[in-house]
Amino acid sequence: MHDMRRKIAGTGILFLMILKMIPSPAQTAAKGNDPPNIIIILTDDQGYHDVGFTGGTQIPTPNIDRIARQGVVFRHGYVSYSVCSPSRAGLLTGRYQGRFGHGRNPILAPNDSTMGLPLEEKTLADALNRAGYNSMVVGKWHLGAHEVHHPLSRGFDEFYGFLIGGHQYFPEKWILEDLSEIENQWDGYLTKLLQNHTRVEEDEYITDAFSREAANFIQRNRSGPFFLCLAYNAPHTPLQATEKYLKRFEHIEDPDRRTYAAMVSAVDDGVGDMLDKLQELGIENNTLVFFLSDNGGPEQDNSSDNGPLRAGKGTLFEGGIHIPFAAQWPGHIPRGIVYDKPVISLDIFATGIAIAGLSPDPEHPVDGTNLMPYLTGKTQGAPHDYLFWRMFDKKSYAVRHDTIKLMIPNDQSKMLFDLEDDISETTDLSGIHPDILDDLNQQREKWEEKMINPVFTGLLKWEEYFRKHHQNYNCNPPDKAYPVGVEFHENTISRKGHYGDNWCQTWASDGNIYTMMDDGNGWWGRNKKIAIEKMNMYQGSMCIQIKGDEDFTADDVKRMPGWPKNPPNSPLYAYGIVSVDGTLYVWLWKSESDSWYQRPIANRLLYSPDLGQTFYRWNGRKETEETFSETDSCTFFLYKEDPTWKIDRYAYAFNWIAFCQAGKDNSKDDYVYMYAPEQYDPTKLAMIRVNKKHILNKEKYEYFKGWDDEEPLWTKDMSERGVNLQYPKKRSDGEWMWASWFPSVVYNPGLDLYIMVSYGVTDEGKNFWDGWCRHCKYPGSLGFWYAENPWGPWKQFYYSEYFYADRKENRTYGFKLSPKWIGEDGKTMQLIWSDAGDDHSTNYKWNQMEIEILIEQHP
């Protein structure tokens, strides 16, 4: 591999220029020539490998390739963001969108003046107005739908297109007159097009209509100067094309890829019409034309092809931000060259105002660079020392310096790539060059100090926004499904495994379920007597992987080799498990003796960075068979926390800790949430949250304190913790035992709600610490709750004081909800539990049943 230190110092391949005297823009202006016209052709979600000039061959793009042949290909051309609206905000302002908080796709909210490009920002059209340019945007706007964000309010003189993030392509589908008729976010795709402020009747395929309007604008403004932003929505979904273009690709078998190719071909025809119009009018040599895509292709969504680039839209890997990028200006940009230094879409603004003879606004410093001196050879070196990217909600970052790229896909991992040797980002060099990684990360941190948080709610939370701010629409908020009961499908009960319980589980990044089994001899093991005789099979707890769906069999179950073998009388018991960013975290609790039904006093936190192949303590020490049963206080993450006197001894906070399961790999939130019953009063639920990157740092833990108008309050002082949920008071048949009201909380995406199941048992007046459900006369209690957020507030929708699944003698306990096996509409879930008779012989295994969440629709 090349010497990375040499690259990081800034040396690289020399850019070979055509040896020809070409007048600079400044020289041209000095001679009194007219300012050049400027055209930006922007496609939407186009793959890097879906044009000819990047090496694509399946979709001919002869007209787009004309721009490349007649000018320059930017081999390392980037956009400043990997989704639509933030990328456009950067393009039209020349500034990193994080400077002004435009870090999300805005929600379609036509009555919300804050939902769009902040009004303090000036667009390229604003700037060029000072030089006498007439400007027009054709196609997709996506910088706000409120009147203050309309293109004619943001510097443009003319507009033909739509204001939102996407649109249907066929006119017969445009059934809504305007945005006043929308009832959800996607109704905007059905509106008629706008000409300036007027809705118009259109009868052409939308791509052809945009190409026509662009050519007409050039015709009307041939005397110049003009600025045209031609922002096609193709090939963004929905995938729709006319037979004219589909016939060109009958040889492509995949129907989505065929339609995608047809859509790109329609764009290429339009580009050809526009280039022909420039030649026809004799203004080609006085027009600078840029071509680029707004971000990389979302290959799984629209069948785009990013070629050798890793990943795609919505990520900061090369496939998300490295785009097809070319420009022509005959007589000024040398013909047929490839420029190897990194450039970014922000440079278009800086280049545009420079060739128009304008200076940047000191109140809005641009982050782009005028590319013309570099393309003409007047200035050597690279236009940028560093390029930066940030995706605020994903905590994802990237930095490029020469050929070296720092990639931070999330806030717990950092990678380093040499893009000259590894454009596909397959070889992480961070372990070889940690000093370079640190240098680039320090540059990122300095840059981020100039950025601000997003200033508006993003598209991903539009339903929540819609319910809270429906006054910004001319309709009522959509009804939402809320639980009102539970139906238990007893005919679906299945029991799997032998001798084990406590099936806390998580849905990991590899798509599998991981569960912790307490007190067992292994899944599908032998009976208790044989297992105890063969101690290599029987142990106190183990970590198990389950593949497949809810109908899994023994062949789908695997014991994870990294979990330390531990004896059946081990004083440690596994309860909570969660997967976060590909790492498993497990809570083990310890009682005051070797018996599990004594009071809990401590918790050990383990993690597995390789999904069960190895396990380590929070402090980095590897957990082994030899270390597992260590009980010194220093071996525990939490030890005798916040003691409270109960009956005849102290009770301690936060034992039997359960994790919230928020989707696959817990990707829904930046925080991990944990729940535990108060040991001195198990009817009270206590709660912890911690940022994902600090799970192993106790000092970063925050404890639920209380409510302020349904907003949660958090404290770092455990003694100040409050009650997150009050469970039912004690039953008539006895006091709740300490092993009571242990919750399982799962995010249900179909209902967009968090669902909690919890159960309680009494000990019939026995000592608070020493009871167990074997002393109960009746089965335990069962309750279900739901909430909009993992901290609540919780609303109960089912409660049974005495619950049993099928037979009263089977004392059910340890209820869990599967975080993975949830119906698409959210109505069906899988309930898992343990049960046992007096001698631990009855169904002491994995019990499973389908349940149905009964719902009602209301605002």
Side-chain angles (χ1 to χ4, degrees):
M1 115 174 216
H2 297 285
D3 182 75
M4 192 171 288
R5 274 291 174 196
R6 174 178 57 82
K7 293 179 180 178
I8 211 74
T11 59
I13 301 172
L14 290 175
F15 175 49
L16 300 178
M17 304 298 300
I18 295 177
L19 299 178
K20 179 178 180 181
M21 293 300 294
I22 300 176
S24 71
Q27 292 170 331
T28 301
K31 295 178 182 178
N33 289 5
D34 293 334
N37 307 309
I38 301 171
I39 297 176
I40 301 173
I41 305 170
L42 187 67
T43 55
D44 197 354
D45 288 3
Q46 186 171 6
Y48 177 79
H49 212 229
D50 290 327
V51 293
F53 71 78
T54 61
T57 58
Q58 190 176 41
I59 307 174
T61 54
N63 296 300
I64 295 172
D65 295 342
R66 278 168 63 183
I67 298 173
R69 290 195 308 271
Q70 295 177 170
V72 57
V73 172
F74 299 105
R75 191 163 72 93
H76 295 281
Y78 291 93
V79 286
S80 61
Y81 208 89
S82 67
V83 299
C84 303
S85 184
S87 176
R88 292 159 197 268
L91 170 67
L92 286 180
T93 63
R95 289 155 52 83
Y96 285 114
Q97 51 280 91
R99 283 188 182 271
F100 46 88
H102 199 119
R104 296 168 176 151
N105 277 332
I107 292 169
L108 173 57
N111 297 329
D112 187 345
S113 62
T114 67
M115 193 62 68
L117 180 67
L119 300 179
E120 297 79 13
E121 295 304 308
K122 303 300 180 184
T123 67
L124 181 55
D126 284 316
L128 293 176
N129 282 345
R130 293 184 282 135
Y133 278 70
N134 191 36
S135 58
M136 182 178 190
V137 59
V138 175
K140 172 176 170 174
W141 176 239
H142 205 193
L143 292 174
H146 189 276
E147 181 61 29
V148 298
H149 297 301
H150 189 283
L152 271 59
S153 300
R154 305 312 301 265
F156 287 92
D157 300 296
E158 298 183 50
F159 172 58
Y160 190 90
F162 56 89
L163 299 173
I164 56 177
H167 214 276
Q168 293 285 333
Y169 286 79
F170 296 123
E172 58 268 26
K173 294 181 178 289
W174 307 340
I175 59 176
L176 301 182
E177 288 295 327
D178 56 47
L179 294 177
S180 67
E181 300 180 19
I182 66 170
E183 295 186 359
N184 62 61
Q185 197 65 195
W186 314 115
D187 280 354
Y189 280 52
L190 307 176
T191 56
K192 294 181 178 178
L193 298 183
L194 278 171
Q195 184 169 31
N196 297 330
H197 291 288
T198 304
R199 296 288 170 177
V200 296
E201 298 294 333
E202 175 62 72
D203 58 8
E204 285 198 81
Y205 178 59
I206 201 169
T207 303
D208 294 343
F210 291 158
S211 299
R212 180 199 69 220
E213 291 299 316
N216 289 345
F217 173 77
I218 294 171
Q219 178 73 40
R220 293 195 304 272
N221 292 274
R222 55 189 178 277
S223 59
F226 65 78
F227 166 43
L228 171 63
C229 180
L230 173 54
Y232 289 108
N233 57 314
H236 190 292
T237 55
L239 296 178
Q240 297 171 347
T242 63
E243 280 301 312
K244 171 185 175 181
Y245 300 113
L246 287 168
K247 287 181 179 179
R248 299 175 183 178
F249 300 97
E250 292 177 341
H251 59 285
I252 297 179
E253 293 184 2
D254 180 79
D256 287 345
R257 180 64 177 172
R258 184 188 314 127
T259 305
Y260 173 90
M263 295 167 75
V264 172
S265 190
V267 169
D268 188 72
D269 278 12
V271 172
D273 292 343
M274 191 191 61
L275 296 178
D276 290 345
K277 179 61 69 174
L278 295 176
Q279 288 183 332
E280 173 192 326
L281 298 173
I283 57 175
E284 181 183 37
N285 292 353
N286 197 40
T287 304
L288 171 59
V289 180
F290 290 98
F291 174 87
L292 71 163
S293 178
D294 66 341
N295 46 248
E299 294 178 320
Q300 301 304 313
D301 295 333
N302 70 348
S303 292
S304 53
D305 180 9
N306 292 321
L309 306 185
R310 180 173 175 176
K313 178 181 179 179
T315 78
L316 296 182
F317 287 106
E318 291 293 286
I321 54 178
H322 189 156
I323 42 85
F325 196 171
Q328 72 167 51
W329 187 8
H332 298 271
I333 295 177
R335 180 183 177 89
I337 61 172
V338 175
Y339 188 70
D340 277 332
K341 302 295 184 184
V343 301
I344 194 166
S345 55
L346 309 179
D347 298 332
I348 292 177
F349 185 105
T351 304
I353 62 172
I355 66 174
L358 301 170
S359 299
D361 181 353
E363 295 183 3
H364 295 82
V366 297
D367 294 304
T369 298
N370 176 16
L371 297 177
M372 290 306 301
Y374 296 91
L375 299 179
T376 60
K378 181 178 179 180
T379 301
Q380 300 299 315
H384 301 274
D385 287 335
Y386 300 91
L387 294 177
F388 300 95
W389 293 267
R390 179 185 76 165
M391 301 188 76
F392 180 86
D393 292 324
K394 292 186 175 183
K395 298 294 183 283
S396 182
Y397 304 86
V399 181
R400 175 156 181 176
H401 178 54
D402 199 52
T403 68
I404 309 305
K405 180 179 177 182
L406 167 67
M407 176 64 193
I408 306 177
N410 53 64
D411 57 5
Q412 285 194 325
S413 62
K414 297 181 177 67
M415 297 181 281
L416 197 69
F417 301 105
D418 179 356
L419 297 181
E420 182 173 330
D421 298 328
D422 182 23
I423 194 64
S424 300
E425 298 172 291
T426 59
T427 305
D428 179 11
L429 305 174
S430 60
I432 303 174
H433 299 285
D435 52 340
I436 296 176
L437 184 145
D438 289 342
D439 289 344
L440 292 180
N441 193 47
Q442 289 177 16
Q443 292 292 334
R444 175 193 68 81
E445 291 174 344
K446 292 178 182 178
W447 169 80
E448 192 175 18
E449 292 176 356
K450 303 173 185 177
M451 306 296 115
I452 66 173
N453 294 348
V455 296
F456 51 75
T457 303
L459 180 61
L460 295 179
K461 293 188 176 181
W462 82 268
E463 289 184 331
E464 178 182 339
Y465 173 92
F466 203 5
R467 289 192 296 273
K468 291 182 179 179
H469 304 285
H470 61 273
Q471 70 274 11
N472 292 323
Y473 301 84
N474 296 323
C475 62
N476 293 321
D479 287 349
K480 183 176 175 66
Y482 289 100
V484 294
V486 181
E487 185 174 287
F488 300 90
H489 296 171
E490 296 179 8
N491 62 328
T492 67
I493 292 177
S494 62
R495 295 183 167 96
K496 305 175 183 181
H498 286 278
Y499 208 71
D501 68 356
N502 228 5
W503 309 110
C504 56
Q505 57 201 275
T506 192
W507 184 13
S509 58
D510 61 358
N512 297 317
I513 288 289
Y514 288 81
T515 182
M516 293 306 304
M517 184 185 71
D518 230 4
D519 192 22
N521 68 318
W523 200 292
W524 276 277
R526 306 181 185 185
N527 63 47
K528 180 180 178 182
K529 179 179 179 181
I530 296 175
I532 292 178
E533 291 174 355
K534 299 180 179 295
M535 292 298 288
N536 65 324
M537 295 188 64
Y538 181 82
Q539 65 179 63
S541 62
M542 61 181 67
C543 181
I544 294 170
Q545 177 196 79
I546 303 175
K547 294 184 177 181
D549 57 21
E550 57 267 35
D551 297 323
F552 67 92
T553 66
D555 293 335
D556 300 314
V557 178
K558 173 184 176 182
R559 172 181 170 180
M560 301 314 296
W563 187 258
K565 180 182 177 183
N566 52 96
N569 61 346
S570 168
L572 302 183
Y573 299 88
Y575 191 76
I577 185 171
V578 72
S579 174
V580 179
D581 295 328
T583 296
L584 296 178
Y585 298 87
V586 177
W587 282 113
L588 295 169
W589 70 271
K590 180 191 180 304
S591 73
E592 62 182 335
S593 70
D594 290 344
S595 172
W596 80 268
Y597 52 81
Q598 297 295 313
R599 63 173 172 172
I601 64 172
N603 291 267
R604 182 176 298 165
L605 180 60
L606 305 183
Y607 69 95
S608 175
D610 46 20
L611 295 180
Q613 302 303 313
T614 53
F615 282 87
Y616 301 86
R617 293 181 186 172
W618 78 97
N619 56 14
R621 184 181 183 187
K622 187 175 181 179
E623 196 74 280
T624 66
E625 182 176 351
E626 290 73 26
T627 67
F628 192 88
S629 295
E630 293 176 345
T631 58
D632 293 340
S633 60
C634 63
T635 67
F636 294 97
F637 189 83
L638 300 173
Y639 187 81
K640 294 187 175 180
E641 302 289 339
D642 194 28
T644 301
W645 190 257
K646 174 68 177 180
I647 304 179
D648 60 351
R649 67 194 80 178
Y650 282 107
Y652 301 104
F654 290 105
N655 291 281
W656 286 73
I657 301 173
F659 288 102
C660 176
Q661 305 295 332
K664 183 179 180 181
D665 205 33
N666 285 270
S667 58
K668 193 176 188 299
D669 203 313
D670 291 333
Y671 284 84
V672 170
Y673 299 91
M674 293 165 264
Y675 313 87
E678 284 288 5
Q679 297 305 300
Y680 67 87
D681 184 353
T683 69
K684 296 177 180 178
L685 182 68
M687 189 174 178
I688 301 172
R689 78 169 184 177
V690 63
N691 190 283
K692 287 180 177 180
K693 63 183 178 182
H694 297 308
I695 297 173
L696 303 177
N697 185 353
K698 181 182 174 182
E699 300 302 316
K700 299 292 185 179
Y701 278 40
E702 295 179 298
Y703 307 93
F704 178 85
K705 184 176 182 179
W707 298 100
D708 180 9
D709 192 23
E710 293 198 352
E711 289 298 318
L713 300 175
W714 303 92
T715 177
K716 290 191 175 181
D717 185 346
M718 185 186 294
S719 67
E720 294 181 351
R721 70 190 181 280
V723 179
N724 181 256
L725 175 62
Q726 177 70 60
Y727 290 117
K729 298 295 184 179
K730 75 174 184 176
R731 286 191 329 199
S732 57
D733 60 321
E735 183 180 15
W736 295 114
M737 61 172 281
W738 67 265
S740 183
W741 293 116
F742 297 134
S744 168
V745 179
V746 166
Y747 174 67
N748 183 316
L751 300 178
D752 191 26
L753 294 170
Y754 290 84
I755 306 295
M756 175 194 295
V757 63
S758 194
Y759 72 101
V761 292
T762 56
D763 66 0
E764 200 184 14
K766 300 290 183 180
N767 183 285
F768 181 80
W769 303 106
D770 297 330
W772 185 63
C773 57
R774 73 175 67 190
H775 301 299
C776 303
K777 291 182 179 179
Y778 306 99
S781 300
L782 184 70
F784 283 82
W785 291 259
Y786 73 85
E788 304 272 356
N789 298 290
W791 55 81
W794 298 98
K795 298 179 180 179
Q796 184 174 299
F797 64 96
Y798 175 88
Y799 177 66
S800 173
E801 190 170 30
Y802 304 105
F803 179 85
Y804 56 92
D806 51 0
R807 294 187 301 169
K808 290 184 178 181
E809 59 268 28
N810 293 349
R811 293 165 184 151
T812 52
Y813 64 97
F815 288 96
K816 307 293 187 297
L817 289 168
S818 169
K820 177 182 178 182
W821 302 321
I822 302 173
E824 185 174 348
D825 61 2
K827 295 180 182 179
T828 57
M829 303 183 74
Q830 293 291 322
L831 185 66
I832 292 94
W833 72 93
S834 299
D835 57 13
D838 289 342
D839 60 355
H840 271 208
S841 62
T842 307
N843 300 326
Y844 193 43
K845 57 186 70 173
W846 174 289
N847 294 259
Q848 180 180 323
M849 173 171 56
E850 180 184 277
I851 62 172
E852 181 178 350
I853 308 296
L854 306 178
I855 64 169
E856 286 183 357
Q857 300 280 346
H858 56 85

